[in-house]
Amino acid sequence: MRVHLLARAGRVVTWPRVGGLRALELGTPGALRAELNRLVLAGDKQATAGLLSEYDEEGEELEHVGERLALVDDDGAHIGTVEVTGVEVTPFEGVPWSFAQAEGEGDADLADWRAGHRRYWERVGTPVEDQTPIVCLRFRLVGPPA
């Protein structure tokens, strides 16, 4: 789960950059982001799902294999660096169990993963349908901030 679009003073802000790297902001600020970051730093979370529409709305290109991203906390502090190992766009209903497992969030099965992601995206105001294009981003932790 990933949130890129931030509203400030009624306008949309483009994705932040940290030290020349695109920021990887997982979940929503607070306890969710802290937990997701903890999973990445522990090596348990090696993937995240995003909405293709967010990239389109912001004019952002998809990440590419080999690209490094700055994992950030709620304050925008660079707490780790990940390297992209795979990028695939697939309909929500086509996200495979192997990807859901790589997210490392403890889902029991694919139905559990789908239900949790539907709830998350509905809560943040972007409900998904079975055919909604999802960006499946795989990565590996490569170290502390560059």
Side-chain angles (χ1 to χ4, degrees), residues 10-112:
R11 66 183 180 87
V12 173
V13 178
T14 60
W15 299 0
R17 303 303 198 259
V18 177
L21 303 176
R22 283 199 270 187
L24 178 59
E25 297 177 300
L26 297 172
T28 51
L32 178 59
R33 180 167 299 156
E35 175 60 12
L36 296 176
N37 284 347
R38 184 192 68 73
L39 291 170
V40 171
L41 296 173
D44 296 329
K45 182 171 181 58
Q46 299 176 9
T48 194
L51 300 174
L52 182 61
S53 61
E54 291 178 340
Y55 292 80
D56 294 341
E57 289 167 8
E58 285 297 300
E60 285 283 346
E61 295 181 15
L62 292 178
E63 292 86 354
H64 61 273
V65 172
E67 182 177 3
R68 292 195 170 192
L69 306 171
L71 181 66
V72 298
D73 65 12
D74 287 348
D75 298 320
H78 187 174
I79 61 170
T81 301
V82 300
E83 182 176 80
V84 176
T85 60
V87 181
E88 181 180 355
V89 177
T90 188
F92 181 73
E93 69 179 354
V95 173
W97 174 234
S98 61
F99 178 82
Q101 287 177 303
E103 280 205 309
E105 297 174 25
D107 295 303
D109 55 28
L110 195 51
D112 191 31

